[in-house]
Amino acid sequence: MTASFNWQQFDQEHIWHPYTSIQHPTPTFPVISAQGVQLKLADEQILVDGMASWWAAIHGYNHPVLNEAVTTQLQNMSHVMFGGLTHEPAVNLAQKLIQLTAEPLEYVFFADSGSIAVEVAIKMAMQYWLAQGNTNKKRLLTIKKGYHGDTFATMAVCDPINGMHHMFEGLLPKHLFAEAPQCKTDADWHENDILSFKQLLKSHHKKIAAVILEPIVQGAGGMRIYSPEYLRQVKNLCEQYDVLLILDEIATGFGRTGTLFAYQHADIVPDILCLGKALTGGYMTLAATLTTKKVSQGIAADGSGVLMHGPTFMANPLACSVANASIELLLDSPWQERIAGIEQQLRIELASCENYSAVREVRVIGAIGVIELNRSVDIHWLQPRLVELGVWIRPFSNLLYIMPAYIMQPNELSQLTSAMRTVVEEMSKVRTMEIDNG
Ligand SMILES: *Cc1c(COP(=O)(O)O)cnc(C)c1O
């Protein structure tokens, strides 16, 4: 490449970024390095990172312990196939995951991304019933406003309105959608919150293989937080109607909501659990699907008993090694205090945002702070404005939210919340002016 090669321009002209158009690209900001909670842009500007690279970089960037785990493993082998071979990084990781999660979860499948972990969870549930000779149970029941991935099987259980159902009409399997839960974490429980779910299960349980949902926090489908009581009732109903329960903890796992796993808020246990995102501390793509003896033996019941999945890069040793190091780092840290501290600061510093006319609601749980706006943001204005304010926050739809690394210091967190306050104030002024002008 010549010195004059303009790589930013090449990026805009030739590369798809997540959910973007080649014809009408949104601006992208070139990062040259990342350290702790800071991103350094090509023009040397430093941004405080509020996204932890989509929930994943929980220890911050360029962490010496995680770097060491990757480079040490690199000396031995970066990858070998998992078909017929095994290695210590994968075995150690499986052992850790089994130990950390609820007791009945004792079998692990390593996937190469979150979407694939959900695909595998769905496949486990379908194979479970097929192996018992039950060919009726082929549908899934979920709740609206969910997000489970971008592959076809996972898209089919994403929110039917803001997901991609409309675009792929006719291509996606049709599943059942209960109303999204309304009861807040700390509010009084209303029995009718679960009514729609209960009715669907009651009417269709003979056709339903599994219920799938994100426990306590619905992430990319709307950044919603709901009552643990809802989850407890879902669990009871699944048992009552003989339907498996899949919990997708890809976003919430590893401390994000204040407990190590979000299902612990409700003190329940799923039949199948999906993990991803923060699993490797944001270093590499890796995910896992865990299940119970009941499900694994059920799958084996038809004699062949083979779980029909096996990605090329399954249980990549580099990814497993860094995941082992990340989990140890987390457990050796005062993570509960750190997350509780972030939660408390978010509650205090974001509360006043509810006074602005552009804001519909402020929601906080663990290390997650959400401002829901009255309407969708203008990303072409808002993104550069946030960068100008020295922060990396990536809003979508009508949601301005952060989920920082757990190591974030109070002064850095204040930079994020004050930038959020500044932009909602500016958006509220624009709206008022528009209203004034009729
Ligand atoms: C991000 C996410 C996924 C998909 O994970 P990818 O690694 O992007 O495929 C699935 N479920 C939930 C809850 C997620 O947040």
Side-chain angles (χ1 to χ4, degrees):
M1 301 276 169
T2 60
S4 65
F5 175 69
N6 186 334
W7 57 276
Q8 280 172 252
Q9 192 180 337
F10 190 91
D11 175 280
Q12 292 275 296
E13 287 172 1
H14 296 277
I15 307 177
W16 271 294
H17 285 260
Y19 316 104
T20 56
S21 151
I22 288 284
Q23 270 64 44
H24 305 285
T26 44
T28 48
F29 297 84
V31 185
I32 52 170
S33 64
Q35 175 73 44
V37 299
Q38 298 184 333
L39 303 176
K40 188 182 196 177
L41 300 185
D43 65 3
E44 304 281 313
Q45 194 193 352
I46 302 282
L47 302 180
V48 176
D49 174 37
M51 305 306 292
S53 285
W54 277 336
W55 321 71
I58 54 174
H59 308 293
Y61 302 102
N62 207 2
H63 196 291
V65 172
L66 303 185
N67 289 359
E68 165 82 22
V70 179
T71 50
T72 303
Q73 180 56 40
L74 196 53
Q75 311 299 317
N76 295 331
M77 61 190 172
S78 60
H79 185 68
V80 290
M81 63 191 278
F82 212 52
L85 297 174
T86 192
H87 47 78
E88 240 185 312
V91 175
N92 288 342
L93 181 56
Q95 199 185 16
K96 277 196 183 66
L97 295 178
I98 290 166
Q99 202 189 342
L100 288 177
T101 55
E103 206 180 324
L105 299 167
E106 45 177 323
Y107 303 90
V108 181
F109 187 99
F110 288 113
D112 35 16
S113 73
S115 300
I116 301 303
V118 176
E119 291 267 347
V120 169
I122 295 171
K123 203 178 266 189
M124 282 177 178
M126 297 301 170
Q127 276 197 239
Y128 173 83
W129 294 111
L130 286 176
Q132 336 273 309
N134 187 333
T135 52
N136 295 322
K137 282 178 168 288
K138 286 180 177 159
R139 297 231 259 168
L140 299 168
L141 170 60
T142 186
I143 52 180
K144 291 178 183 174
K145 307 283 182 191
Y147 177 80
H148 298 285
D150 288 347
T151 56
F152 277 85
T154 63
M155 272 197 296
V157 283
C158 289
D159 183 79
I161 306 296
N162 66 23
M164 290 161 276
H165 292 248
H166 198 64
M167 179 179 282
F168 297 109
E169 181 74 49
L171 288 171
L172 299 179
K174 292 224 184 301
H175 296 306
L176 297 154
F177 291 85
E179 294 307 319
Q182 299 297 325
C183 276
K184 309 278 160 58
T185 326
D186 41 12
D188 286 342
W189 169 252
H190 294 291
E191 206 57 45
N192 53 3
D193 208 16
I194 193 90
L195 211 63
S196 145
F197 182 90
K198 202 187 263 182
Q199 280 169 348
L200 282 170
L201 198 54
K202 196 174 168 186
S203 319
H204 301 282
H205 64 95
K206 291 206 171 103
K207 287 186 274 177
I208 299 173
V211 163
I212 178 168
L213 42 78
E214 297 155 279
I216 305 300
V217 177
Q218 296 183 285
M223 302 300 296
R224 301 175 82 258
I225 304 167
Y226 66 89
S227 168
E229 184 56 28
Y230 188 94
L231 205 52
R232 271 190 287 273
Q233 302 225 1
V234 163
K235 170 69 182 175
N236 289 340
L237 289 164
C238 285
E239 285 191 350
Q240 188 184 333
Y241 287 105
D242 200 16
V243 160
L244 297 173
L245 177 59
I246 302 171
L247 291 184
D248 179 351
E249 291 243 13
I250 290 166
T252 50
F254 301 102
R256 182 56 66 181
T257 65
T259 53
L260 199 54
F261 301 103
Y263 66 73
Q264 292 170 316
H265 289 280
D267 205 17
I268 60 147
V269 177
D271 296 294
I272 302 173
L273 176 70
C274 301
L275 300 173
K277 287 196 162 97
L279 176 59
T280 63
Y283 266 56
M284 255 171 265
T285 178
L286 181 71
T289 311
L290 279 80
T291 194
T292 61
K293 187 166 270 158
K294 171 184 155 183
V295 174
S296 60
Q297 286 184 345
I299 291 169
D302 72 346
S304 82
V306 176
L307 179 63
M308 292 304 289
H309 217 93
T312 306
F313 287 96
M314 189 169 181
N316 173 259
L318 290 172
C320 289
S321 296
V322 75
N324 280 316
S326 174
I327 292 170
E328 278 167 27
L329 198 59
L330 180 68
L331 298 179
D332 289 345
S333 75
W335 61 272
Q336 279 131 315
E337 283 144 66
R338 283 179 179 168
I339 294 162
I342 291 172
E343 173 169 328
Q344 199 186 8
Q345 195 182 340
L346 286 174
R347 283 188 197 285
I348 293 166
E349 294 181 1
L350 292 181
S352 65
C353 291
E354 279 199 337
N355 301 327
Y356 293 107
S357 63
V359 175
R360 182 178 294 165
E361 190 180 51
V362 171
R363 305 191 275 268
V364 174
I365 187 171
I368 307 169
V370 184
I371 299 179
E372 182 176 334
L373 303 158
N374 283 314
R375 59 174 177 184
S376 290
V377 300
D378 172 7
I379 195 78
H380 290 268
W381 169 76
L382 183 53
Q383 189 72 84
R385 180 68 185 124
L386 288 163
V387 168
E388 201 171 63
L389 293 167
V391 297
W392 181 247
I393 299 174
R394 178 78 175 160
F396 73 94
S397 177
N398 63 336
L399 297 160
L400 179 65
Y401 69 103
I402 54 172
M403 52 240 179
Y406 306 158
I407 58 153
M408 182 162 280
Q409 296 300 307
N411 61 322
E412 295 160 332
L413 191 56
S414 289
Q415 273 181 267
L416 293 174
T417 57
S418 77
M420 290 166 89
R421 210 171 322 115
T422 301
V423 296
V424 296
E425 186 178 352
E426 289 169 357
M427 284 186 274
S428 302
K429 277 188 191 139
V430 171
R431 287 206 68 193
T432 317
M433 273 164 57
E434 280 172 8
I435 293 162
D436 288 349
N437 296 338

